[in-house]
Amino acid sequence: MIDFELTQSFFNPSSIAIIGASSNEKKTGSRIQRYLVSHGYKGRIFPVNPNRDNIFGLKCYPNLKKINEKIDHIFIALDGNKIIEAINDAVSLNVKCATILSGGFSESGSEGLDLENEILDIANKGNIRVLGPNSIGIINISDSVILSANAMLELPNLKKGSLSVISQSGSLIGALLAHGASRGIGFSKLISVGNEADLSVGEIGKMLVDDVDTDTIILFLETLRNSREVAEMAHLAHKSGKAIITYKLGKSDLGKELAKSHTGAIAGSDEAFNAFIKYNGMSRVEIFETLIEVPNLFKNKVIAKGKRIGIATTTGGGGAMVVESISSSDIEVINPGSSMSSLMKQYNIPYNDNKLVDLTIAGAKPEIVNDVIKEFMENKNCDLVVMVVGSSAKFRPDQAIEPLLKWANNSKPLVVYVAPDAPEALQLLNKNGIASFRTPESCAEGIKAYLNNKSPKTIDNNYEQINFNKIKTILKSVKYKNLTEFEALKVFDIMGIKTVRSKIVSNILKSRELTMEFGFPLVMKILSSQIQHKTDTGGVELNITSEADLKNRHKKLCKVFDKLEVKNSDREFLLQKMEIGITEIILGYRVDELVGPIVVIGSGGVLSEIYDDKSVRIAPVDFKEAKKMINEVKSLVTITGYRGLPRADINILANAIVDMSQLASIKAIKEAEINPVLIKEGLEGVVAVDGLITLY
Amino acid sequence: MIDFELTQSFFNPSSIAIIGASSNEKKTGSRIQRYLVSHGYKGRIFPVNPNRDNIFGLKCYPNLKKINEKIDHIFIALDGNKIIEAINDAVSLNVKCATILSGGFSESGSEGLDLENEILDIANKGNIRVLGPNSIGIINISDSVILSANAMLELPNLKKGSLSVISQSGSLIGALLAHGASRGIGFSKLISVGNEADLSVGEIGKMLVDDVDTDTIILFLETLRNSREVAEMAHLAHKSGKAIITYKLGKSDLGKELAKSHTGAIAGSDEAFNAFIKYNGMSRVEIFETLIEVPNLFKNKVIAKGKRIGIATTTGGGGAMVVESISSSDIEVINPGSSMSSLMKQYNIPYNDNKLVDLTIAGAKPEIVNDVIKEFMENKNCDLVVMVVGSSAKFRPDQAIEPLLKWANNSKPLVVYVAPDAPEALQLLNKNGIASFRTPESCAEGIKAYLNNKSPKTIDNNYEQINFNKIKTILKSVKYKNLTEFEALKVFDIMGIKTVRSKIVSNILKSRELTMEFGFPLVMKILSSQIQHKTDTGGVELNITSEADLKNRHKKLCKVFDKLEVKNSDREFLLQKMEIGITEIILGYRVDELVGPIVVIGSGGVLSEIYDDKSVRIAPVDFKEAKKMINEVKSLVTITGYRGLPRADINILANAIVDMSQLASIKAIKEAEINPVLIKEGLEGVVAVDGLITLY
C-alpha cells in the first residue's frame, strides 16, 4: 500500500530545504529556489549553503541542522560525500523524502555504485525515501510544487492538466512540457526517477494511481528496474480506469546484445518487454509525440466497442496518409454506407462510396462537417471517428474545429489529425478533451494503441497437474548447470510434453536390444555435459538404417569425442528413435533480465534466425493465449491446412506451449529450450527431439 | 527540351485571366484574384464573369474574347461545358497556358473522362498547355505569382526559399506551406498537378530543374502517371545537382490489390515504385514532415563521403531516440575516439567513451558545444554530424543554437534534432541552411534518406548476345496469350537460362526412348494452354521411378484432363528429368503498370508468400545489380555457406537474373515467371523447372 504521508511529502511537502542552493542565476543550484518561487510554491523554503547568509531574499542556513523547523523534503544539488552528510542530517531531523539531483553514481561505474549504496543504506535505516540520484526532480503542477532544475521551467505558465509523466530521462521532461505547452496540453505531475536507487517507477506510479489529479500516466523508459512494482501499478491503474502509455528505448541495441546469447537470439528482450506491456494491460508507442497526443483518447469516458473506424477529411491527401498508416493493421476502415451517400448527395458533394469521406471540394463548412461526424456517430458499424482537417484549421477554426467540439465525449471516441501546422487548432481541441495529432503517423499510431489496448491478464493456474517435486528432484541430482540432453528431455517429459524415445548407451555392443525396441531408422548423438552444441561439432548422426550403419556412425562419433578431447569417463551416447514431422518449431522458456519468465515459440530450422518469426509471452500462459501465439508465428500457417499441405492438431501444440510455460513455477531454471519440436500430422501431435535446460 | 516561352507563361505570366472570378469573398472563385493581389502580382489581371462589371476594383469581362489584350495564362474556376467554351476562346486568342481548378473529370468516372479528353483535344490542337483539371493552381513565391485557390494563401507573408513542390494532392500544399512557415522554411514554387491530363509531374519537374530559384524538388505523389518523364526529370536534376525527394501514397492498398494477381503477389507495385525511385537516383521518405525537413541536408555544398555519423546531445533521452531510430539501418554511429575523451576530460564532463556524446549534465555551453562539433568535423571517421538539442533550444538559443550556425556548410553536413517544441530554434537553423528536425523519427529518416541516396543508374546493355529474333519468332507462332510451359521454357532457354530437359509426349507408348535418354526419376505434367495452374489441379506427378510407375502416373493425369473436361486434341504431356536443388527461388519479370519493366527474385516454395522475401529492380539489370538483389533476399543467405550448408555459385544465379531482365527488350511480353528456379550446389548452377509467359 502507498503511504499517504510519503505521498504528501513526496509530491506536496509543506517545507523544503535546498542543499547546495545558489544565488548565481547561471548555476543549476539556483534554479530550484527560483522555480519554486516563480511557480507559486506556498510552503516554506530553506536554502542551505555555508557560504551565504541570504539567497534571493530568504535566510540561508550553513547546514540542515541549523534550520530548527520541520522539514518535509530535501532537494540535494551537491556532489559526492556532501550528500552523505546531508542525508545523515536529514535522518536526525526526521525528514521523509530526499531528491538527489547529482549524477556520478551507479550509472557511472563501481565507485559511484558504492557511494549510491552507502547513501541508500543510511536512508533505509533512517526511514528516508530517496528519489534519484540523477533525478531532475518533481514537477507537481496541480499543487504548484515545482521542485526541479529542468530549464524548461523557465516557461512562465505551466498548464494544469490530468496527464502525469514518469521519466527515466530527466531532460526529456522538458521536451514533453514544451510539446504539451504548444498544444495546450496540461500536466498534473512530472517525475524524473533518475537511477531509481530507492523509489522506482512502479512505486511512484502507484502514488499517481491514487492521485485524484491524475487521469493518465505516461512512462518514458530506458530500462525496467523493478518489473513487479510496475506490474502492480498497471493492475491498480486498470482498476482505477487510468491508462498507462509507455515509450521505451533500447529496442535495437539490446536486441543485438541479446542475439549473441543462444536463447537470446530467439527472444530479444524488446519482445519480452512488449509481452510484459500487453500482459499488464499497458500500451506502448514508438513515435515520441504520440506519447502526449494519445492520452485524450484513453481519457474518453466512452470506450470503443470494436476496431472499426470511420474517417472523413477536408484534405484528401491528409486523410489518405492516415488511412494508409492504419490499413497495415487489423483495424477496419469502414465503408460509410448508404446514409452517408444520401448525405453527400444532399450537399451535392461528389462521392463514390469511398471509405474515405472526402470533403476537400466542399471545404470545411460547419454544417457539413457536423452532419458527417453525426452520421458516423450514429453508424452502428463504426466504433471510432477520425476527422482530418486541412488548411481551414489554420485560418477558420470556427468552421473547421468548432463543429467538432460538441462531439467530444459523445457516444464514440473522436480523433482529429490537423494536417497544417496549426497550434491554435490543437489547443482548441485539447481544451475540449479531443485527442488531436500533429502528424498522420502519430495519429495512426495513437488509434492503433488505443484500439489494441486490453485489460491486464490473469492466468488461471489450476488447469494442470504437474509433478514439480519430481522435477526438482532431478534438478538437485544433476552435476552441472547445463543439463544433458537426456536430463532435459526427462524434465520436458514430466512437464507433459511428449519427447522422443531415448536411451543412454555407453557401449555400442549393448545397443542391440534397443534397436530391436525402437526400430530403425535411429538417431545417435554424443552426450556429455562438457559439450553444449552437438550439431555444430558433428555430434549428431541422423537416419541410421541398420546395425552395420550404427557401428559406422558410432565410430564417427567416437572420433568427434577424440577431437573435442572429452575424457572417457564423460563419454556417453544417446540413441533415439528417428522422428519425422511436417514442420519444426523452437519452444523456449527464459527468465528475461527485465520482465522475468517468458515463453517463446518460433519457426524452427535454418530459417528461424533469418526471419525472426516468433511469438513471446509472459509465462505461464493458458491454452487460449498459447493458441494466439501459434497464430502469430507466420510460418505456422503451413500446418493449418494451407494450400492442401498436411494439417497438424493445433490443440496439442498449444498444450505443449502451456506445459513449457509452467517452468515459471521452478525458480531454479534460468532457461530451457526444445529445438526442435517436431510437429506431426493430425493427432500424432508433437514430439520434442532435442533440448537444453540451464539452471541458475 | 523545355520550352522557355511555356515556362514563362506557366510560372511567370505577364497577364492572367480568371474565368469564373467572383466578388463574393466566401466563394473559392474570389480567392484567385484576392491572393494574386495580396501577394503582390505585378502583371495584369482580367476577371471574367458575365454577371459583373467590376470585381475588387478591376474591370470584369463577360468572356475572354472581350478582353482584347494579350493573355498569357488563364485560370478556370468554372465547371463542365463552360470550360470548353473558355478553352476554345483561349485558343483563338493564342493563350499559352490554362490552369483548370474544377474537379469532376477523369477522377470521377467515364463521363468526366470524356469531358477531360474533349478539353484536351481542343487544347492540343490549339497549342495550349493545360495544368489539371482538379489543380489548386501554381504558387510561385520567387516571382510573386500566387495563382491558386489554396486557403493557406491567407498567410500574410509567403517566405521565399529554394524548395519547390509538385503535388498530386492540392490540399496538402497548404499543409506543407504551413509547416514550412512555422519552421522558417521558404519555398520557390508549389504546383498542384491535379489529374495531369496534359502537363505531368515529370514535365513540370523539368521546368523546375531549369529554374534558377529552385534547389530541391519535393514530390507528393498518389500515383505515377508518366514514369518516363519523371525518370528524365530525375536524370536532369541529378546533372544539375538538384535533389528530388518523394512521398508516395498507395503502399498498403495497392499492395493488396496487386497481391490478387499471380505475379502481383511476388512484387507489389510499391516495391516496383521503390525500385524506380532508387534506379533514378531519387529519395523516398515515409514520414510526411521529413519531406520538408530533409531538403537542407541535400542542399549542402559538401557531400557526406560515407555512412558514418557522429552524434552529440544536450538531452540524453533525445539523443538516444535518434540513435535508436538510426541503428536499425546500415549507418554506423561512430565511436568518437580518444580526442573526444580528452576534450570531455578537459571540460570535466563524465564520459565513458560512449558512442553518444552526452552533454546533458554539462548543459548547452556554447564553447563546449562548439568544441564537440569541431571535434566531429575534424574526425576522419565521421561523415556527418548530428546534434540533438534539449530544453536550452527553447530559452537559450544563444547558447544552444548559435554555436551551431557557423558549422553550416562546413567540411561535413550537420543535422540538428530539436527535442522540445521550439519553433524559434528551428527558424534560426533553417535561416542558416542547417537541416533541422522536429521529431527524432524524421531526423533519423532524413539522415538515412540522405546517406542512402545514390546517382541514377545507367545500364550497359552490350554485355550479352541474345537471339531476340528467335524469341520473337516463337512468340508469333504461339496460339494463346498464355504460353504453354514448354513454350515458356524454350524462351527462357534462348535467353540463356538453363532449363530442365523436357519433351512433349502425346502418347505414353512412345515415351520409352525418352525415359532411356533422360533416365529416372522423371516428372510428368499435363500440358494444355487451357490450364494455367497445373499444381493446384493435380496436374504434376513428381519422382516417377520406373516404367510401371510412369504408366500409373500417366493414367492419373488422364483423369485430371477428364475432370477438367479438356478436349482430346488439346491434351499433351510434358516429360521432364527430375531435378533436385539445394533451394529454390522464384524469378520473375513483369511490366509494372506504373514504372514499366521490372525483374523480381524471391524465396521459393511455400514460404515465399508467407515471408514476402524478395528483391525488385527496374529491368534490365547488370551483373553487379543482380548480385545485390541476391543479397537482399534473406533466405538466400542459406546458399552462401551459412552454417555449413551446401554453397551455390552466386555468379551463375546472378547471370540468370540478368538474362531474365533482358526480356525488357521484348515489348510483346507482359509478364514472365520461372517458379521454381532450382539452385544446385556449386558449379552445377541453376535450372528452371517450370515457368509461364503472358503476352499483351
Side-chain angles (χ1 to χ4, degrees):
Chain A
M1 284 309 299
I2 291 299
D3 175 351
F4 176 73
E5 219 181 327
L6 168 65
T7 307
Q8 275 295 307
S9 52
F10 182 75
F11 280 133
N12 200 4
S14 54
S15 58
I16 297 165
I18 303 162
I19 322 291
S22 167
S23 56
N24 181 346
E25 294 218 6
K26 285 192 180 159
K27 289 205 171 166
T28 308
S30 80
R31 289 185 190 164
I32 323 300
Q33 186 176 338
R34 284 196 290 119
Y35 296 158
L36 271 171
V37 173
S38 68
H39 292 289
Y41 177 58
K42 293 188 183 62
R44 299 192 63 185
I45 305 172
F46 304 104
V48 177
N49 183 336
N51 307 316
R52 292 275 177 284
D53 293 332
N54 183 300
I55 292 181
F56 300 131
L58 287 183
K59 183 182 173 186
C60 184
Y61 299 83
N63 59 51
L64 267 181
K65 287 187 168 173
K66 293 276 161 113
I67 297 176
N68 273 329
E69 307 253 8
K70 182 174 176 287
I71 302 162
D72 259 11
H73 197 128
I74 61 170
F75 190 101
I76 307 177
L78 291 178
D79 286 343
N81 286 318
K82 289 178 188 163
I83 301 178
I84 292 180
E85 196 187 312
I87 296 280
N88 269 321
D89 286 357
V91 168
S92 68
L93 295 171
N94 214 11
V95 172
K96 273 267 167 195
C97 256
T99 295
I100 304 177
L101 172 69
S102 331
F105 291 88
S106 57
E107 84 282 6
S108 68
S110 65
E111 262 183 61
L113 178 62
D114 289 346
L115 186 60
E116 187 172 302
N117 284 335
E118 195 180 341
I119 291 169
L120 212 64
D121 216 41
I122 302 168
N124 281 344
K125 284 178 189 148
N127 283 321
I128 295 187
R129 300 304 304 270
V130 175
L131 178 66
N134 213 1
S135 158
I136 199 98
I138 303 161
I139 301 169
N140 175 358
I141 301 177
S142 1
D143 304 300
S144 303
V145 184
I146 308 304
L147 183 61
S148 168
N150 194 302
M152 196 54 69
L153 297 165
E154 302 282 350
L155 274 174
N157 296 303
L158 300 175
K159 193 173 166 54
K160 281 186 192 179
S162 60
L163 186 57
S164 285
V165 179
I166 305 176
S167 178
Q168 286 173 342
S169 161
S171 55
L172 270 189
I173 285 183
L176 289 170
L177 268 175
H179 283 291
S182 72
R183 289 170 174 83
I185 294 172
F187 294 89
S188 173
K189 293 165 186 75
L190 305 98
I191 303 102
S192 156
V193 295
N195 296 1
E196 294 176 82
D198 179 19
L199 284 165
S200 69
V201 168
E203 201 170 352
I204 296 166
K206 285 191 245 176
M207 297 191 213
L208 292 174
V209 170
D210 280 350
D211 177 35
V212 291
D213 296 316
T214 296
D215 264 355
T216 314
I217 301 166
I218 65 183
L219 309 179
F220 186 93
L221 301 179
E222 292 168 353
T223 182
L224 197 63
R225 291 205 184 86
N226 187 335
S227 62
R228 197 183 47 78
E229 287 270 13
V230 173
E232 278 180 29
M233 159 191 75
H235 282 251
L236 291 169
H238 178 73
K239 274 187 200 155
S240 307
K242 298 185 182 187
I244 299 178
I245 302 144
T246 61
Y247 179 103
K248 183 173 172 294
L249 287 167
K251 229 175 141 69
S252 52
D253 286 347
L254 263 185
K256 272 177 222 151
E257 254 179 55
L258 289 166
K260 285 176 202 160
S261 80
H262 188 60
T263 315
I266 305 178
S269 199
D270 199 67
E271 280 106 353
F273 180 79
N274 277 337
F276 174 80
I277 287 289
K278 282 182 197 155
Y279 185 86
N280 291 296
M282 298 185 276
S283 288
R284 182 182 186 182
V285 297
E286 302 199 346
I287 298 174
F288 181 51
E289 289 189 317
T290 313
L291 206 48
I292 61 159
E293 292 181 327
V294 78
N296 272 342
L297 196 43
F298 282 92
K299 278 183 212 166
N300 253 292
K301 297 286 170 288
V302 287
I303 290 166
K305 290 186 182 70
K307 297 189 184 182
R308 302 164 303 172
I309 67 170
I311 174 161
T313 184
T314 60
T315 160
M321 289 195 292
V322 175
V323 170
E324 180 106 306
S325 300
I326 282 184
S327 60
S328 63
S329 71
D330 63 346
I331 290 163
E332 185 197 344
V333 179
I334 65 156
N335 203 315
S338 59
S339 48
M340 187 65 83
S341 305
S342 310
L343 185 65
M344 293 294 103
K345 205 168 278 173
Q346 182 190 320
Y347 279 118
N348 202 18
I349 299 170
Y351 178 68
N352 297 327
D353 293 318
N354 295 318
K355 288 192 168 181
L356 178 62
V357 179
D358 190 347
L359 310 173
T360 310
I361 290 169
K365 301 204 172 58
E367 66 279 15
I368 300 179
V369 170
N370 180 68
D371 287 358
V372 168
I373 303 285
K374 183 163 178 267
E375 178 58 40
F376 273 134
M377 287 285 173
E378 288 169 359
N379 185 332
K380 280 180 186 155
N381 298 319
C382 175
D383 303 308
L384 180 147
V385 186
V386 185
M387 181 71 208
V388 177
V389 190
S391 303
S392 45
K394 192 148 185 82
F395 301 106
R396 310 248 164 101
D398 56 319
Q399 298 201 355
I401 305 296
E402 277 173 22
L404 304 176
L405 303 183
K406 70 179 233 203
W407 297 104
N409 284 310
N410 198 273
S411 58
K412 289 165 197 174
L414 173 66
V415 169
V416 180
Y417 160 49
V418 179
D421 186 86
E424 306 77 13
L426 292 172
Q427 283 162 21
L428 195 54
L429 289 162
N430 277 308
K431 195 177 160 189
N432 287 273
I434 296 173
S436 46
F437 296 86
R438 264 196 76 263
T439 69
E441 298 84 17
S442 62
C443 180
E445 188 186 43
I447 293 168
K448 285 186 227 174
Y450 171 70
L451 292 181
N452 287 317
N453 183 249
K454 295 208 174 92
S455 301
K457 289 215 167 24
T458 43
I459 295 292
D460 174 12
N461 252 329
N462 293 323
Y463 51 92
E464 184 119 23
Q465 294 300 328
I466 292 174
N467 192 337
F468 289 115
N469 286 332
K470 204 168 165 187
I471 294 171
K472 283 172 189 165
T473 309
I474 293 176
L475 298 186
K476 271 173 201 154
S477 73
V478 302
K479 277 194 205 162
Y480 301 96
K481 287 197 172 177
N482 295 318
L483 273 64
T484 64
E485 177 181 340
F486 188 74
E487 292 162 342
L489 287 176
K490 211 162 168 180
V491 171
F492 296 133
D493 184 55
I494 299 169
M495 294 302 292
I497 299 166
K498 190 179 161 192
T499 54
V500 61
R501 296 189 70 178
S502 307
K503 284 227 168 129
I504 297 174
V505 290
S506 47
N507 188 332
I508 184 68
L509 300 172
K510 292 179 188 164
S511 66
R512 187 75 199 258
E513 55 194 75
L514 257 184
T515 62
M516 296 286 284
E517 190 187 334
F518 287 0
F520 290 106
L522 290 169
V523 175
M524 194 175 213
K525 300 171 178 174
I526 56 173
L527 191 69
S528 166
S529 51
Q530 288 177 248
I531 296 159
Q532 273 286 295
H533 299 288
K534 294 180 295 285
T535 311
D536 296 358
T537 54
V540 177
E541 292 294 328
L542 297 168
N543 203 22
I544 300 169
T545 53
S546 66
E547 286 292 337
D549 195 11
L550 182 64
K551 275 179 194 155
N552 281 332
R553 307 288 195 105
H554 175 257
K555 270 185 204 157
K556 279 173 82 178
L557 292 178
C558 287
K559 279 180 192 157
V560 172
F561 269 140
D562 291 345
K563 204 175 158 195
L564 296 170
E565 296 177 0
V566 176
K567 56 183 177 185
N568 273 327
S569 63
D570 207 12
R571 292 182 180 193
E572 284 180 316
F573 301 91
L574 198 59
L575 205 60
Q576 297 177 326
K577 186 170 155 57
M578 169 100 176
E579 297 274 1
I580 309 282
I582 56 174
T583 192
E584 62 182 69
I585 63 158
I586 300 174
L587 176 55
Y589 165 86
R590 181 163 62 87
V591 180
D592 182 82
E593 289 178 293
L594 300 185
V595 307
I598 57 170
V599 61
V600 185
I601 60 162
S603 59
V606 173
L607 299 179
S608 68
E609 290 171 34
I610 295 172
Y611 290 123
D612 195 35
D613 184 13
K614 59 177 178 265
S615 174
V616 181
R617 289 290 190 287
I618 299 295
V621 292
D622 57 20
F623 183 72
K624 206 171 139 194
E625 203 64 31
K627 287 187 91 166
K628 282 187 196 162
M629 292 179 73
I630 296 169
N631 256 330
E632 286 174 15
V633 177
K634 286 186 199 167
S635 71
L636 289 184
V637 72
T638 57
I639 58 167
T640 59
Y642 181 81
R643 295 217 150 196
L645 290 171
R647 185 191 292 261
D649 188 318
I650 295 300
N651 293 342
I652 299 174
L653 175 56
N655 276 322
I657 297 169
V658 170
D659 292 337
M660 187 70 160
S661 77
Q662 292 288 320
L663 287 181
S665 300
I666 304 171
K667 301 301 169 206
I669 294 178
K670 190 178 174 187
E671 68 179 87
E673 183 179 287
I674 307 177
N675 185 5
V677 176
L678 293 180
I679 299 176
K680 303 187 143 206
E681 192 166 353
L683 292 172
E684 286 187 76
V686 304
V687 57
V689 301
D690 196 352
L692 60 84
I693 289 179
T694 308
L695 306 181
Y696 273 102
Chain B
M1 286 309 297
I2 292 297
D3 174 351
F4 177 73
E5 219 182 326
L6 169 65
T7 307
Q8 274 296 308
S9 51
F10 183 75
F11 281 133
N12 200 4
S14 53
S15 58
I16 297 166
I18 303 162
I19 323 291
S22 168
S23 56
N24 181 345
E25 293 218 6
K26 285 192 180 156
K27 291 207 170 164
T28 308
S30 80
R31 290 185 190 163
I32 322 300
Q33 186 176 339
R34 284 197 289 120
Y35 296 157
L36 270 172
V37 173
S38 68
H39 293 289
Y41 177 59
K42 291 188 185 64
R44 300 193 62 186
I45 305 172
F46 305 104
V48 177
N49 184 336
N51 307 317
R52 292 275 176 283
D53 292 332
N54 183 302
I55 292 180
F56 302 130
L58 286 184
K59 183 182 173 188
C60 185
Y61 299 83
N63 58 52
L64 267 181
K65 288 190 169 172
K66 294 273 164 140
I67 296 175
N68 273 328
E69 307 251 8
K70 182 174 175 288
I71 302 161
D72 260 11
H73 198 129
I74 61 170
F75 190 101
I76 307 177
L78 291 178
D79 287 341
N81 286 319
K82 290 178 188 162
I83 302 178
I84 292 180
E85 195 186 315
I87 296 279
N88 269 321
D89 285 356
V91 167
S92 68
L93 296 171
N94 215 10
V95 172
K96 271 268 168 196
C97 256
T99 295
I100 305 177
L101 172 68
S102 331
F105 291 89
S106 56
E107 84 282 7
S108 68
S110 64
E111 260 182 62
L113 177 62
D114 289 346
L115 186 59
E116 188 172 303
N117 285 334
E118 193 180 342
I119 291 169
L120 211 64
D121 216 41
I122 301 168
N124 281 344
K125 283 179 190 149
N127 283 320
I128 295 186
R129 299 305 302 270
V130 174
L131 178 66
N134 213 1
S135 158
I136 199 98
I138 303 160
I139 301 169
N140 174 357
I141 301 178
S142 2
D143 303 300
S144 304
V145 184
I146 308 304
L147 183 59
S148 168
N150 195 302
M152 196 54 69
L153 296 166
E154 302 280 351
L155 275 173
N157 296 303
L158 300 175
K159 194 174 164 54
K160 282 186 193 181
S162 59
L163 187 57
S164 285
V165 178
I166 304 176
S167 178
Q168 286 174 342
S169 161
S171 55
L172 271 187
I173 284 183
L176 289 169
L177 267 175
H179 284 291
S182 72
R183 289 169 174 85
I185 294 172
F187 295 89
S188 174
K189 293 164 187 76
L190 305 98
I191 303 101
S192 157
V193 295
N195 296 1
E196 293 175 82
D198 178 18
L199 284 164
S200 69
V201 168
E203 200 171 353
I204 295 166
K206 285 191 244 175
M207 296 190 213
L208 292 173
V209 170
D210 280 351
D211 177 35
V212 291
D213 296 317
T214 296
D215 264 356
T216 313
I217 301 166
I218 65 183
L219 310 179
F220 186 93
L221 301 180
E222 293 169 351
T223 182
L224 197 62
R225 291 205 184 86
N226 187 335
S227 62
R228 196 183 48 78
E229 287 271 13
V230 173
E232 279 180 29
M233 159 191 75
H235 283 251
L236 291 169
H238 179 73
K239 275 187 201 155
S240 308
K242 299 185 181 185
I244 299 178
I245 302 145
T246 61
Y247 179 103
K248 184 174 171 295
L249 287 166
K251 230 176 140 69
S252 51
D253 286 346
L254 262 184
K256 272 178 223 149
E257 254 179 56
L258 288 166
K260 285 176 203 160
S261 80
H262 188 60
T263 315
I266 305 177
S269 199
D270 200 67
E271 281 104 352
F273 180 78
N274 277 337
F276 174 80
I277 286 290
K278 283 182 195 152
Y279 185 86
N280 291 297
M282 298 185 275
S283 288
R284 182 182 185 181
V285 297
E286 301 199 346
I287 298 175
F288 181 51
E289 288 189 317
T290 313
L291 206 48
I292 62 158
E293 292 182 328
V294 78
N296 271 341
L297 195 43
F298 283 92
K299 279 183 212 166
N300 253 291
K301 296 285 170 289
V302 288
I303 290 166
K305 290 187 182 70
K307 297 189 185 183
R308 302 164 305 173
I309 67 169
I311 173 160
T313 183
T314 60
T315 161
M321 289 195 291
V322 176
V323 170
E324 181 106 308
S325 300
I326 283 183
S327 60
S328 63
S329 70
D330 63 346
I331 290 163
E332 185 197 345
V333 179
I334 66 157
N335 203 315
S338 59
S339 48
M340 187 66 83
S341 305
S342 311
L343 185 66
M344 293 295 102
K345 204 168 276 171
Q346 181 191 318
Y347 280 118
N348 202 20
I349 299 170
Y351 178 68
N352 296 327
D353 294 317
N354 295 319
K355 288 192 168 182
L356 178 62
V357 179
D358 190 349
L359 309 173
T360 310
I361 290 169
K365 299 202 175 59
E367 67 278 16
I368 300 179
V369 170
N370 180 68
D371 286 359
V372 167
I373 303 286
K374 183 163 178 265
E375 178 58 40
F376 273 133
M377 287 285 173
E378 288 169 359
N379 184 331
K380 280 180 187 156
N381 298 320
C382 176
D383 304 308
L384 179 147
V385 186
V386 185
M387 181 72 207
V388 177
V389 190
S391 302
S392 45
K394 192 147 185 82
F395 301 107
R396 310 248 165 101
D398 56 319
Q399 297 200 357
I401 304 296
E402 276 173 22
L404 304 176
L405 303 183
K406 70 180 233 201
W407 297 105
N409 284 308
N410 198 274
S411 58
K412 288 166 197 173
L414 173 66
V415 169
V416 180
Y417 160 49
V418 179
D421 186 86
E424 306 77 12
L426 292 172
Q427 284 162 21
L428 196 53
L429 288 161
N430 277 309
K431 194 176 159 190
N432 287 273
I434 296 173
S436 45
F437 295 86
R438 267 196 79 265
T439 70
E441 297 85 17
S442 62
C443 180
E445 188 186 45
I447 293 169
K448 284 186 227 174
Y450 171 68
L451 292 180
N452 286 318
N453 182 249
K454 294 208 175 94
S455 301
K457 290 213 170 22
T458 43
I459 296 292
D460 174 10
N461 252 328
N462 294 322
Y463 51 91
E464 184 118 23
Q465 294 302 326
I466 292 176
N467 193 338
F468 289 115
N469 286 331
K470 205 167 164 186
I471 294 171
K472 283 172 190 166
T473 308
I474 293 176
L475 298 186
K476 271 174 202 154
S477 73
V478 302
K479 278 195 207 162
Y480 300 96
K481 286 195 174 179
N482 296 316
L483 272 64
T484 64
E485 177 181 342
F486 188 74
E487 291 162 343
L489 288 175
K490 211 163 171 182
V491 171
F492 296 133
D493 184 55
I494 300 168
M495 293 303 292
I497 299 166
K498 191 181 160 192
T499 54
V500 61
R501 295 188 70 180
S502 309
K503 285 230 168 123
I504 297 173
V505 287
S506 47
N507 188 332
I508 183 69
L509 300 172
K510 292 178 188 164
S511 67
R512 187 76 199 256
E513 56 196 74
L514 257 184
T515 63
M516 296 287 283
E517 191 186 332
F518 287 178
F520 290 106
L522 290 170
V523 175
M524 195 176 210
K525 300 170 178 173
I526 56 173
L527 191 69
S528 165
S529 51
Q530 287 178 248
I531 297 160
Q532 272 287 294
H533 299 288
K534 293 181 295 286
T535 312
D536 296 358
T537 53
V540 177
E541 292 294 327
L542 297 170
N543 204 21
I544 300 168
T545 53
S546 66
E547 287 292 336
D549 195 11
L550 181 64
K551 274 179 196 153
N552 282 330
R553 307 289 194 103
H554 174 258
K555 271 185 203 156
K556 279 173 80 177
L557 293 179
C558 287
K559 280 180 192 156
V560 172
F561 269 140
D562 290 345
K563 203 174 157 194
L564 296 170
E565 298 178 357
V566 175
K567 56 182 176 185
N568 274 327
S569 64
D570 206 12
R571 291 182 181 194
E572 285 181 313
F573 301 92
L574 199 60
L575 205 60
Q576 297 178 325
K577 188 170 154 57
M578 168 102 176
E579 297 275 1
I580 309 282
I582 56 175
T583 192
E584 62 183 69
I585 63 158
I586 300 174
L587 176 54
Y589 165 86
R590 181 163 62 88
V591 180
D592 182 83
E593 288 178 292
L594 300 185
V595 306
I598 57 170
V599 62
V600 185
I601 61 163
S603 58
V606 173
L607 300 178
S608 67
E609 289 170 35
I610 295 172
Y611 289 124
D612 194 35
D613 184 13
K614 59 177 179 265
S615 174
V616 181
R617 289 290 189 288
I618 299 296
V621 294
D622 58 21
F623 183 73
K624 207 172 139 193
E625 204 63 32
K627 286 187 91 167
K628 282 187 194 161
M629 291 179 74
I630 296 169
N631 257 328
E632 285 174 14
V633 177
K634 287 186 195 165
S635 71
L636 289 183
V637 71
T638 57
I639 58 167
T640 60
Y642 181 82
R643 297 217 149 194
L645 290 172
R647 186 191 291 262
D649 188 317
I650 295 300
N651 293 342
I652 298 174
L653 176 56
N655 275 323
I657 298 168
V658 170
D659 291 337
M660 188 70 160
S661 77
Q662 293 288 320
L663 288 182
S665 300
I666 304 170
K667 301 302 169 206
I669 294 178
K670 189 179 175 186
E671 67 178 90
E673 183 179 286
I674 307 177
N675 185 6
V677 176
L678 294 180
I679 299 176
K680 305 189 140 206
E681 192 165 355
L683 292 172
E684 287 187 77
V686 303
V687 56
V689 300
D690 197 352
L692 60 85
I693 290 178
T694 308
L695 306 181
Y696 273 103

